[in-house]
Amino acid sequence: MNERLKIDFISRWEKYFPDVTLPVAFFYSAGLHGAEPARKIEPHHCMIADLVRVSRGKPLAFNSDNIGCRGGKRYCGFSGSLAPDFPFFLSYGIPG
């Protein structure tokens, strides 16, 4: 990412939207564009936890190897399958 553009954007965001978290943007690319690959934490780690760092301005790159949860892989387009009852787990917190 162009560092000057990033600094200008953050400066203007803070001016016009004080005390509001930076927006998060996702895009697909073959290159890292200055982003650091996200760390894979074993045995399980939800990528949503990493979005706090992203919202604070830290660019992270996610891929099928470093996303540690099946839901993250599915919703980022790296897998076509979900665990059984996964939508209910997210919506209702059913046991199991």
Side-chain angles (χ1 to χ4, degrees):
M1 171 180 248
N2 178 312
E3 194 64 27
R4 185 75 222 150
L5 177 65
K6 177 181 172 181
I7 291 168
D8 287 345
F9 179 87
I10 292 172
S11 173
R12 290 177 184 169
W13 184 268
E14 290 171 349
K15 177 180 178 181
Y16 295 107
F17 304 102
D19 302 320
V20 176
T21 305
L22 285 168
V24 174
F26 288 87
F27 64 94
Y28 291 94
S29 175
L32 292 176
H33 301 277
E36 169 186 312
R39 295 177 294 127
K40 182 171 184 178
I41 299 172
E42 297 290 344
H44 173 79
H45 177 75
C46 181
M47 68 173 286
I48 299 301
D50 290 321
L51 295 183
V52 172
R53 293 174 56 208
V54 173
S55 71
R56 292 179 180 155
K58 176 73 177 171
L60 291 177
F62 296 95
N63 61 42
S64 62
D65 294 326
N66 66 11
I67 296 175
C69 67
R70 289 168 53 178
K73 286 185 181 189
R74 163 76 160 106
Y75 291 112
C76 286
F78 295 116
S79 173
S81 65
L82 283 175
D85 296 325
F86 185 78
F88 298 103
F89 161 74
L90 286 180
S91 300
Y92 305 112
I94 61 172

Coordinates of all heavy atoms in Angstrom, one line a residue:
M1 N 0.8 -1.2 0.0 CA 0.0 0.0 0.0 C 0.9 1.2 0.0 O 1.9 1.3 0.6 CB -0.9 0.0 1.2 CG -1.7 1.3 1.4 SD -2.7 1.3 2.8 CE -4.3 1.3 2.0
N2 N 0.4 2.3 -0.7 CA 1.1 3.5 -0.7 C 1.1 4.1 0.7 O 0.0 4.5 1.2 CB 0.5 4.5 -1.7 CG 1.1 5.8 -1.8 OD1 1.3 6.5 -0.8 ND2 1.3 6.3 -3.0
E3 N 2.2 4.3 1.4 CA 2.2 4.7 2.8 C 1.7 6.1 2.9 O 1.0 6.4 3.9 CB 3.7 4.6 3.3 CG 3.8 4.8 4.8 CD 3.1 3.6 5.5 OE1 3.0 2.5 5.0 OE2 2.7 3.9 6.7
R4 N 2.0 7.0 2.0 CA 1.4 8.4 2.1 C -0.1 8.4 2.0 O -0.8 9.1 2.7 CB 2.0 9.2 1.0 CG 1.7 10.7 1.0 CD 2.4 11.4 2.1 NE 1.5 12.3 2.8 CZ 1.6 12.6 4.1 NH1 2.6 12.1 4.8 NH2 0.7 13.4 4.7
L5 N -0.6 7.6 1.1 CA -2.1 7.5 1.0 C -2.7 7.0 2.3 O -3.7 7.5 2.8 CB -2.5 6.6 -0.2 CG -3.9 6.3 -0.4 CD1 -4.7 7.5 -0.8 CD2 -4.1 5.2 -1.5
K6 N -2.1 6.0 2.9 CA -2.5 5.4 4.1 C -2.5 6.5 5.3 O -3.5 6.6 6.0 CB -1.6 4.2 4.6 CG -2.0 3.6 5.9 CD -1.0 2.5 6.2 CE -1.2 1.9 7.6 NZ -0.3 0.9 7.9
I7 N -1.4 7.2 5.4 CA -1.3 8.3 6.4 C -2.4 9.3 6.2 O -3.1 9.8 7.1 CB 0.1 8.8 6.4 CG1 1.1 7.8 6.9 CG2 0.2 10.1 7.3 CD1 2.5 8.2 6.7
D8 N -2.6 9.8 4.9 CA -3.6 10.8 4.6 C -5.0 10.3 5.0 O -5.8 11.0 5.5 CB -3.5 11.2 3.1 CG -2.3 12.1 2.8 OD1 -1.7 12.6 3.8 OD2 -2.0 12.2 1.6
F9 N -5.3 9.0 4.6 CA -6.6 8.5 4.9 C -6.9 8.4 6.4 O -7.9 8.9 6.8 CB -6.8 7.1 4.3 CG -8.1 6.5 4.6 CD1 -9.2 6.7 3.7 CD2 -8.3 5.7 5.7 CE1 -10.4 6.2 4.0 CE2 -9.6 5.2 6.0 CZ -10.6 5.4 5.1
I10 N -5.9 7.9 7.1 CA -6.1 7.8 8.6 C -6.3 9.2 9.2 O -7.1 9.4 10.1 CB -5.0 7.0 9.2 CG1 -5.1 5.5 8.8 CG2 -5.0 7.1 10.7 CD1 -3.9 4.7 9.2
S11 N -5.5 10.1 8.8 CA -5.6 11.5 9.3 C -7.0 12.1 9.0 O -7.6 12.7 9.9 CB -4.5 12.4 8.6 OG -4.7 13.7 9.0
R12 N -7.5 11.9 7.8 CA -8.8 12.5 7.5 C -9.9 11.7 8.2 O -10.9 12.3 8.6 CB -9.0 12.5 6.0 CG -8.1 13.5 5.3 CD -8.3 13.4 3.8 NE -7.3 14.4 3.2 CZ -7.0 14.4 2.0 NH1 -7.6 13.6 1.1 NH2 -6.1 15.3 1.5
W13 N -9.7 10.4 8.3 CA -10.7 9.6 9.1 C -10.8 10.1 10.5 O -11.9 10.3 11.0 CB -10.3 8.1 9.0 CG -11.4 7.3 9.7 CD1 -11.4 6.9 11.0 CD2 -12.5 6.7 9.0 NE1 -12.5 6.1 11.2 CE2 -13.2 6.0 10.0 CE3 -13.0 6.8 7.7 CZ2 -14.4 5.3 9.7 CZ3 -14.2 6.1 7.4 CH2 -14.9 5.4 8.4
E14 N -9.7 10.3 11.1 CA -9.7 10.8 12.5 C -10.3 12.2 12.6 O -10.9 12.5 13.6 CB -8.3 10.7 13.1 CG -7.8 9.3 13.3 CD -6.3 9.2 13.7 OE1 -5.6 10.2 13.6 OE2 -5.9 8.1 14.1
K15 N -10.1 13.0 11.6 CA -10.6 14.4 11.6 C -12.2 14.4 11.5 O -12.9 15.0 12.2 CB -10.0 15.2 10.5 CG -10.6 16.6 10.4 CD -10.0 17.4 9.2 CE -10.6 18.7 9.1 NZ -10.0 19.5 8.0
Y16 N -12.7 13.6 10.5 CA -14.1 13.6 10.2 C -14.9 12.6 11.0 O -16.1 12.7 11.1 CB -14.3 13.4 8.7 CG -13.8 14.6 7.9 CD1 -12.6 14.5 7.2 CD2 -14.4 15.9 8.0 CE1 -12.1 15.5 6.4 CE2 -13.9 16.9 7.3 CZ -12.7 16.8 6.5 OH -12.2 17.8 5.8
F17 N -14.3 11.6 11.5 CA -15.0 10.5 12.3 C -14.2 10.3 13.6 O -13.7 9.1 13.8 CB -15.1 9.2 11.4 CG -15.7 9.4 10.1 CD1 -15.0 9.5 8.9 CD2 -17.1 9.5 10.0 CE1 -15.6 9.7 7.7 CE2 -17.7 9.7 8.8 CZ -17.0 9.7 7.6
P18 N -14.1 11.3 14.4 CA -13.4 11.1 15.7 C -14.0 9.9 16.5 O -15.2 9.8 16.6 CB -13.5 12.4 16.4 CG -14.7 13.1 15.8 CD -14.8 12.6 14.4
D19 N -13.1 9.2 17.1 CA -13.5 8.1 18.0 C -14.2 7.0 17.3 O -15.0 6.2 18.0 CB -14.3 8.6 19.2 CG -13.5 9.7 20.0 OD1 -12.3 9.5 20.2 OD2 -14.2 10.7 20.4
V20 N -14.1 6.9 16.0 CA -14.8 5.8 15.3 C -13.7 4.9 14.7 O -12.7 5.4 14.1 CB -15.6 6.3 14.1 CG1 -16.2 5.2 13.3 CG2 -16.7 7.2 14.6
T21 N -13.8 3.6 14.9 CA -12.8 2.6 14.4 C -12.7 2.7 12.9 O -13.6 2.9 12.2 CB -13.3 1.2 14.8 OG1 -13.5 1.1 16.2 CG2 -12.2 0.1 14.5
L22 N -11.4 2.5 12.5 CA -11.2 2.5 11.0 C -12.0 1.4 10.3 O -12.2 0.4 10.9 CB -9.7 2.3 10.8 CG -8.7 3.4 11.0 CD1 -7.3 2.9 11.0 CD2 -8.9 4.5 10.0
P23 N -12.4 1.6 9.1 CA -13.1 0.6 8.4 C -12.1 -0.5 8.0 O -10.9 -0.3 8.0 CB -13.6 1.3 7.1 CG -12.6 2.4 6.9 CD -12.2 2.9 8.3
V24 N -12.6 -1.7 7.7 CA -11.8 -2.8 7.3 C -12.2 -3.2 5.9 O -13.3 -3.2 5.5 CB -12.1 -4.1 8.2 CG1 -11.4 -5.3 7.7 CG2 -11.7 -3.8 9.7
A25 N -11.1 -3.4 5.1 CA -11.4 -3.7 3.7 C -10.7 -5.1 3.4 O -9.6 -5.3 3.9 CB -10.8 -2.6 2.8
F26 N -11.3 -5.8 2.5 CA -10.8 -7.1 2.1 C -10.7 -7.1 0.6 O -11.5 -6.6 -0.1 CB -11.7 -8.3 2.5 CG -11.8 -8.6 3.9 CD1 -12.6 -7.9 4.8 CD2 -10.9 -9.6 4.5 CE1 -12.7 -8.2 6.1 CE2 -11.0 -9.9 5.8 CZ -11.9 -9.2 6.6
F27 N -9.6 -7.7 0.1 CA -9.5 -8.0 -1.4 C -8.7 -9.2 -1.6 O -7.8 -9.6 -0.8 CB -9.0 -6.7 -2.1 CG -7.6 -6.3 -1.8 CD1 -6.5 -6.8 -2.5 CD2 -7.4 -5.5 -0.7 CE1 -5.2 -6.4 -2.2 CE2 -6.1 -5.1 -0.4 CZ -5.0 -5.5 -1.1
Y28 N -8.9 -9.8 -2.8 CA -8.1 -11.0 -3.2 C -6.9 -10.5 -4.0 O -7.1 -9.6 -4.9 CB -8.9 -12.0 -4.0 CG -10.0 -12.6 -3.1 CD1 -11.2 -12.1 -3.0 CD2 -9.6 -13.8 -2.4 CE1 -12.2 -12.8 -2.3 CE2 -10.6 -14.4 -1.6 CZ -11.9 -13.9 -1.5 OH -12.8 -14.5 -0.8
S29 N -5.7 -11.1 -3.8 CA -4.6 -10.7 -4.6 C -3.5 -11.8 -4.6 O -3.5 -12.6 -3.6 CB -3.9 -9.4 -4.1 OG -2.7 -9.1 -4.7
A30 N -2.7 -11.9 -5.6 CA -1.6 -12.9 -5.6 C -0.4 -12.4 -4.8 O 0.4 -13.2 -4.4 CB -1.2 -13.2 -7.0
G31 N -0.4 -11.1 -4.5 CA 0.7 -10.5 -3.8 C 0.3 -10.0 -2.4 O -0.9 -9.8 -2.2
L32 N 1.3 -9.7 -1.6 CA 1.0 -9.2 -0.2 C 0.7 -7.7 -0.1 O 0.1 -7.3 0.8 CB 2.1 -9.6 0.7 CG 2.3 -11.1 1.0 CD1 3.5 -11.3 1.8 CD2 1.1 -11.7 1.6
H33 N 1.3 -6.9 -1.1 CA 1.1 -5.5 -1.1 C 1.4 -4.8 0.2 O 0.7 -4.0 0.8 CB -0.4 -5.1 -1.4 CG -0.8 -5.6 -2.8 ND1 -0.5 -5.0 -3.9 CD2 -1.4 -6.8 -3.1 CE1 -1.0 -5.7 -5.0 NE2 -1.5 -6.8 -4.5
G34 N 2.5 -5.3 0.8 CA 3.0 -4.7 2.1 C 2.3 -5.3 3.3 O 2.7 -4.9 4.5
A35 N 1.4 -6.2 3.2 CA 0.7 -6.8 4.3 C 1.6 -7.9 4.9 O 2.3 -8.6 4.2 CB -0.7 -7.3 4.0
E36 N 1.4 -8.1 6.2 CA 2.1 -9.2 6.8 C 1.2 -10.4 6.9 O 0.0 -10.3 7.2 CB 2.4 -8.8 8.3 CG 2.9 -9.8 9.2 CD 3.0 -9.3 10.6 OE1 3.6 -8.2 10.8 OE2 2.5 -9.9 11.6
P37 N 1.7 -11.6 6.5 CA 0.8 -12.8 6.6 C 0.3 -13.0 8.1 O 1.1 -12.8 9.0 CB 1.7 -14.0 6.2 CG 2.8 -13.3 5.4 CD 3.0 -12.0 6.0
A38 N -0.9 -13.3 8.3 CA -1.5 -13.5 9.6 C -0.8 -14.8 10.2 O -0.5 -15.7 9.4 CB -3.0 -13.6 9.5
R39 N -0.6 -14.8 11.5 CA 0.0 -16.0 12.1 C -1.1 -17.0 12.3 O -2.2 -16.7 12.7 CB 0.5 -15.6 13.5 CG 1.7 -14.6 13.5 CD 2.1 -14.3 14.9 NE 1.0 -13.5 15.6 CZ 0.5 -13.8 16.8 NH1 1.0 -14.9 17.5 NH2 -0.5 -13.1 17.3
K40 N -0.8 -18.2 12.0 CA -1.7 -19.4 12.3 C -1.4 -19.8 13.8 O -0.3 -20.1 14.1 CB -1.5 -20.5 11.4 CG -2.5 -21.6 11.6 CD -2.5 -22.7 10.6 CE -3.6 -23.7 10.9 NZ -3.7 -24.7 9.9
I41 N -2.4 -19.8 14.6 CA -2.3 -20.2 16.0 C -3.0 -21.6 16.1 O -4.1 -21.7 15.8 CB -2.9 -19.2 16.9 CG1 -2.1 -17.9 16.7 CG2 -2.8 -19.7 18.3 CD1 -2.8 -16.7 17.4
E42 N -2.2 -22.6 16.6 CA -2.7 -23.9 16.7 C -3.3 -24.1 18.1 O -2.9 -23.5 19.1 CB -1.6 -25.0 16.5 CG -1.0 -24.9 15.1 CD -2.0 -25.5 14.1 OE1 -3.0 -26.1 14.4 OE2 -1.7 -25.2 12.9
P43 N -4.3 -24.9 18.4 CA -4.9 -25.8 17.4 C -6.0 -25.1 16.6 O -6.5 -25.5 15.6 CB -5.5 -26.9 18.2 CG -5.8 -26.3 19.5 CD -4.8 -25.2 19.7
H44 N -6.6 -24.0 17.2 CA -7.7 -23.3 16.6 C -7.6 -21.8 16.9 O -7.3 -21.5 18.0 CB -9.0 -23.9 17.1 CG -10.2 -23.1 16.7 ND1 -10.8 -23.3 15.4 CD2 -11.0 -22.2 17.3 CE1 -11.8 -22.5 15.3 NE2 -11.9 -21.8 16.4
H45 N -7.9 -21.0 15.9 CA -7.9 -19.6 16.1 C -8.8 -19.0 15.1 O -8.7 -19.2 13.9 CB -6.5 -19.1 15.9 CG -6.3 -17.6 16.0 ND1 -6.4 -16.9 17.2 CD2 -6.2 -16.6 15.1 CE1 -6.2 -15.6 17.0 NE2 -6.1 -15.4 15.8
C46 N -9.8 -18.2 15.5 CA -10.7 -17.5 14.7 C -10.1 -16.3 14.1 O -9.6 -15.5 14.8 CB -12.0 -17.2 15.4 SG -13.3 -16.4 14.4
M47 N -10.2 -16.1 12.8 CA -9.6 -14.9 12.2 C -10.3 -13.6 12.6 O -9.6 -12.6 12.5 CB -9.7 -15.0 10.6 CG -11.1 -14.9 10.1 SD -11.1 -14.9 8.3 CE -10.6 -13.2 8.0
I48 N -11.5 -13.7 13.1 CA -12.1 -12.5 13.6 C -11.3 -11.8 14.7 O -11.3 -10.6 14.8 CB -13.6 -12.8 14.1 CG1 -14.4 -13.4 12.9 CG2 -14.2 -11.6 14.7 CD1 -14.6 -12.5 11.7
A49 N -10.6 -12.6 15.5 CA -9.8 -12.0 16.6 C -8.7 -11.2 16.0 O -8.3 -10.2 16.6 CB -9.2 -13.2 17.4
D50 N -8.2 -11.5 14.8 CA -7.1 -10.7 14.1 C -7.7 -9.3 13.6 O -6.9 -8.4 13.3 CB -6.5 -11.4 13.0 CG -5.6 -12.6 13.5 OD1 -5.0 -12.4 14.6 OD2 -5.6 -13.7 12.9
L51 N -9.0 -9.2 13.4 CA -9.5 -8.0 12.8 C -9.4 -6.8 13.7 O -9.4 -5.6 13.2 CB -11.0 -8.2 12.4 CG -11.2 -9.2 11.3 CD1 -12.6 -9.3 10.9 CD2 -10.3 -9.0 10.1
V52 N -9.1 -7.0 15.0 CA -8.8 -5.8 15.9 C -7.5 -5.1 15.4 O -7.5 -3.9 15.3 CB -8.7 -6.3 17.4 CG1 -8.2 -5.1 18.2 CG2 -10.1 -6.8 17.9
R53 N -6.5 -5.9 15.1 CA -5.3 -5.4 14.7 C -5.5 -4.7 13.3 O -4.9 -3.6 13.1 CB -4.2 -6.5 14.5 CG -3.8 -7.1 15.9 CD -2.9 -8.3 15.8 NE -1.7 -8.0 15.0 CZ -1.0 -8.9 14.3 NH1 -1.4 -10.1 14.3 NH2 0.1 -8.6 13.7
V54 N -6.3 -5.3 12.4 CA -6.5 -4.7 11.1 C -7.2 -3.4 11.3 O -6.9 -2.4 10.7 CB -7.4 -5.7 10.3 CG1 -7.8 -5.0 9.0 CG2 -6.6 -6.9 10.0
S55 N -8.2 -3.3 12.2 CA -9.0 -2.1 12.4 C -8.1 -1.0 13.0 O -8.5 0.2 12.9 CB -10.2 -2.3 13.3 OG -9.8 -2.5 14.6
R56 N -7.0 -1.3 13.5 CA -6.0 -0.3 14.1 C -5.0 0.1 13.1 O -4.0 0.7 13.4 CB -5.4 -0.9 15.4 CG -6.4 -1.0 16.5 CD -5.8 -1.5 17.7 NE -6.8 -1.6 18.8 CZ -6.7 -2.5 19.8 NH1 -5.6 -3.3 19.9 NH2 -7.6 -2.5 20.7
G57 N -5.1 -0.4 11.8 CA -4.2 0.0 10.8 C -3.2 -1.0 10.4 O -2.3 -0.7 9.5
K58 N -3.2 -2.2 10.9 CA -2.2 -3.2 10.6 C -2.7 -4.1 9.5 O -3.6 -4.8 9.6 CB -1.9 -4.1 11.9 CG -1.0 -5.2 11.6 CD 0.4 -4.7 11.5 CE 1.4 -5.9 11.3 NZ 2.7 -5.4 11.0
P59 N -2.0 -4.0 8.3 CA -2.5 -4.8 7.2 C -2.1 -6.3 7.4 O -0.9 -6.6 7.7 CB -1.8 -4.2 5.9 CG -0.6 -3.4 6.5 CD -1.0 -3.1 7.9
L60 N -3.0 -7.2 7.3 CA -2.7 -8.6 7.4 C -3.2 -9.3 6.2 O -4.2 -9.0 5.6 CB -3.4 -9.2 8.6 CG -2.9 -8.8 10.0 CD1 -3.8 -9.4 11.1 CD2 -1.5 -9.2 10.2
A61 N -2.5 -10.4 5.8 CA -2.9 -11.2 4.6 C -3.3 -12.6 5.1 O -2.6 -13.2 5.9 CB -1.7 -11.4 3.7
F62 N -4.5 -13.0 4.7 CA -5.0 -14.3 5.1 C -5.0 -15.2 3.9 O -5.3 -14.7 2.8 CB -6.5 -14.1 5.6 CG -6.6 -13.3 6.9 CD1 -6.8 -11.9 6.8 CD2 -6.4 -13.9 8.1 CE1 -6.9 -11.2 8.0 CE2 -6.5 -13.1 9.3 CZ -6.7 -11.8 9.2
N63 N -4.8 -16.5 4.1 CA -4.9 -17.4 3.1 C -5.4 -18.8 3.6 O -5.7 -18.9 4.8 CB -3.5 -17.6 2.4 CG -2.5 -18.1 3.3 OD1 -2.7 -19.0 4.1 ND2 -1.3 -17.5 3.2
S64 N -5.5 -19.8 2.8 CA -6.1 -21.0 3.3 C -5.3 -21.7 4.3 O -5.7 -22.6 5.0 CB -6.4 -22.0 2.1 OG -5.2 -22.3 1.4
D65 N -4.0 -21.4 4.4 CA -3.1 -22.0 5.3 C -3.1 -21.3 6.7 O -2.8 -22.0 7.7 CB -1.7 -22.1 4.8 CG -1.5 -22.9 3.6 OD1 -2.2 -24.0 3.5 OD2 -0.7 -22.6 2.7
N66 N -3.3 -20.0 6.8 CA -3.2 -19.4 8.1 C -4.6 -19.0 8.7 O -4.6 -18.5 9.8 CB -2.3 -18.2 8.0 CG -2.8 -17.0 7.1 OD1 -4.0 -17.0 6.7 ND2 -1.9 -16.1 6.9
I67 N -5.7 -19.3 8.1 CA -7.0 -19.1 8.7 C -7.2 -20.4 9.5 O -7.3 -21.5 8.9 CB -8.1 -18.8 7.7 CG1 -7.8 -17.5 6.9 CG2 -9.4 -18.8 8.4 CD1 -8.8 -17.2 5.8
G68 N -7.4 -20.2 10.8 CA -7.4 -21.4 11.7 C -8.8 -21.9 12.0 O -8.9 -22.8 12.8
C69 N -9.8 -21.4 11.4 CA -11.2 -22.0 11.7 C -11.9 -22.3 10.3 O -11.7 -21.6 9.3 CB -12.0 -21.0 12.5 SG -12.4 -19.4 11.7
R70 N -12.7 -23.2 10.4 CA -13.5 -23.7 9.2 C -14.4 -22.6 8.7 O -14.6 -22.4 7.5 CB -14.2 -25.0 9.5 CG -13.2 -26.1 9.6 CD -13.8 -27.4 10.1 NE -15.0 -27.9 9.4 CZ -15.6 -29.0 9.8 NH1 -15.2 -29.8 10.7 NH2 -16.7 -29.4 9.1
G71 N -15.0 -21.9 9.6 CA -16.0 -20.8 9.2 C -15.2 -19.7 8.5 O -15.7 -19.2 7.4
G72 N -14.1 -19.3 9.0 CA -13.3 -18.3 8.3 C -12.9 -18.7 6.9 O -12.9 -17.9 5.9
K73 N -12.4 -20.0 6.8 CA -12.0 -20.5 5.5 C -13.2 -20.5 4.5 O -13.1 -20.1 3.4 CB -11.5 -21.9 5.6 CG -10.1 -21.9 6.1 CD -9.5 -23.3 6.1 CE -8.1 -23.3 6.7 NZ -7.4 -24.5 6.6
R74 N -14.4 -20.9 5.0 CA -15.6 -20.9 4.2 C -16.0 -19.5 3.7 O -16.2 -19.3 2.5 CB -16.7 -21.6 5.0 CG -18.1 -21.4 4.4 CD -18.3 -22.2 3.2 NE -19.8 -22.4 3.0 CZ -20.4 -21.8 2.0 NH1 -19.8 -21.0 1.2 NH2 -21.7 -21.9 1.9
Y75 N -16.1 -18.6 4.7 CA -16.6 -17.3 4.3 C -15.6 -16.4 3.6 O -16.0 -15.4 3.0 CB -17.2 -16.6 5.6 CG -18.5 -17.3 6.0 CD1 -18.5 -18.0 7.2 CD2 -19.6 -17.3 5.2 CE1 -19.7 -18.7 7.6 CE2 -20.8 -17.9 5.6 CZ -20.8 -18.6 6.8 OH -22.0 -19.3 7.1
C76 N -14.3 -16.8 3.6 CA -13.4 -16.1 2.8 C -13.2 -16.7 1.4 O -12.4 -16.2 0.6 CB -12.0 -16.0 3.5 SG -12.0 -14.9 4.9
G77 N -13.9 -17.8 1.2 CA -13.9 -18.4 -0.1 C -12.8 -19.5 -0.3 O -12.5 -19.9 -1.4
F78 N -12.2 -20.0 0.8 CA -11.1 -21.0 0.7 C -11.6 -22.4 0.9 O -10.8 -23.3 0.8 CB -10.0 -20.7 1.7 CG -9.3 -19.4 1.4 CD1 -9.3 -18.3 2.3 CD2 -8.5 -19.2 0.2 CE1 -8.6 -17.1 2.0 CE2 -7.9 -18.0 -0.1 CZ -7.9 -17.0 0.9
S79 N -12.9 -22.5 1.2 CA -13.4 -23.9 1.4 C -14.9 -23.8 1.1 O -15.6 -22.8 1.3 CB -13.3 -24.3 2.9 OG -14.0 -25.5 3.1
G80 N -15.5 -24.9 0.6 CA -16.9 -24.9 0.3 C -17.7 -25.6 1.4 O -18.9 -25.7 1.2
S81 N -17.1 -26.1 2.4 CA -17.8 -26.9 3.4 C -17.9 -26.2 4.8 O -17.0 -25.4 5.1 CB -17.3 -28.3 3.6 OG -16.0 -28.2 4.1
L82 N -18.9 -26.5 5.5 CA -19.0 -26.0 6.9 C -19.2 -27.2 7.8 O -19.7 -28.3 7.4 CB -20.3 -25.1 7.0 CG -20.1 -23.7 6.5 CD1 -21.5 -23.0 6.6 CD2 -19.1 -22.9 7.3
A83 N -18.9 -27.0 9.1 CA -19.2 -28.0 10.1 C -20.7 -28.2 10.2 O -21.5 -27.2 10.0 CB -18.6 -27.6 11.4
P84 N -21.2 -29.3 10.6 CA -22.7 -29.5 10.8 C -23.2 -28.5 11.8 O -22.6 -28.2 12.8 CB -22.8 -30.9 11.3 CG -21.5 -31.6 10.9 CD -20.5 -30.5 10.9
D85 N -24.3 -27.9 11.5 CA -25.0 -26.9 12.3 C -24.2 -25.6 12.6 O -24.5 -24.9 13.5 CB -25.4 -27.6 13.7 CG -26.4 -28.7 13.5 OD1 -27.3 -28.6 12.6 OD2 -26.3 -29.7 14.3
F86 N -23.2 -25.4 11.7 CA -22.4 -24.1 11.9 C -23.3 -22.9 12.0 O -23.1 -22.0 12.8 CB -21.3 -24.0 10.9 CG -20.4 -22.9 11.1 CD1 -19.4 -23.0 12.1 CD2 -20.5 -21.7 10.4 CE1 -18.5 -21.9 12.3 CE2 -19.7 -20.6 10.6 CZ -18.7 -20.7 11.5
P87 N -24.2 -22.7 11.0 CA -25.0 -21.5 11.1 C -25.8 -21.3 12.4 O -25.9 -20.2 12.9 CB -26.0 -21.6 9.9 CG -25.3 -22.5 9.0 CD -24.6 -23.5 9.9
F88 N -26.2 -22.4 13.0 CA -26.9 -22.3 14.3 C -25.9 -22.0 15.4 O -26.3 -21.3 16.4 CB -27.6 -23.6 14.6 CG -28.7 -23.9 13.6 CD1 -28.5 -24.9 12.6 CD2 -29.9 -23.2 13.6 CE1 -29.5 -25.1 11.6 CE2 -30.9 -23.5 12.7 CZ -30.7 -24.4 11.7
F89 N -24.7 -22.5 15.3 CA -23.7 -22.1 16.3 C -23.4 -20.6 16.3 O -23.4 -20.0 17.4 CB -22.4 -22.9 15.9 CG -21.1 -22.3 16.6 CD1 -20.9 -22.5 17.9 CD2 -20.2 -21.6 15.8 CE1 -19.7 -22.0 18.5 CE2 -19.1 -21.0 16.4 CZ -18.8 -21.2 17.8
L90 N -23.4 -20.0 15.2 CA -23.1 -18.6 15.1 C -24.4 -17.8 15.6 O -24.3 -16.8 16.2 CB -22.8 -18.1 13.7 CG -21.4 -18.5 13.2 CD1 -21.3 -17.9 11.7 CD2 -20.4 -17.9 14.1
S91 N -25.5 -18.3 15.2 CA -26.8 -17.6 15.5 C -27.3 -17.8 16.9 O -27.8 -16.9 17.6 CB -27.9 -18.0 14.6 OG -27.5 -17.7 13.3
Y92 N -27.3 -19.0 17.4 CA -27.9 -19.3 18.7 C -27.0 -19.9 19.8 O -27.4 -20.0 20.9 CB -29.0 -20.4 18.4 CG -30.0 -20.0 17.4 CD1 -30.0 -20.7 16.2 CD2 -30.9 -19.0 17.6 CE1 -30.9 -20.4 15.2 CE2 -31.8 -18.6 16.6 CZ -31.8 -19.3 15.4 OH -32.7 -19.0 14.4
G93 N -25.8 -20.2 19.4 CA -24.9 -20.8 20.4 C -25.3 -22.1 20.9 O -25.1 -22.4 22.1
I94 N -25.8 -23.0 20.1 CA -26.3 -24.3 20.6 C -25.1 -25.1 21.0 O -24.0 -24.9 20.5 CB -27.1 -25.0 19.5 CG1 -26.2 -25.3 18.3 CG2 -28.4 -24.3 19.1 CD1 -26.9 -26.2 17.2
P95 N -25.3 -25.9 22.0 CA -24.2 -26.8 22.5 C -23.7 -27.7 21.5 O -24.4 -28.1 20.6 CB -24.9 -27.6 23.7 CG -26.1 -26.8 24.0 CD -26.5 -26.1 22.8
G96 N -22.4 -28.0 21.5 CA -21.7 -28.9 20.6 C -21.3 -28.3 19.4 O -20.8 -28.9 18.5

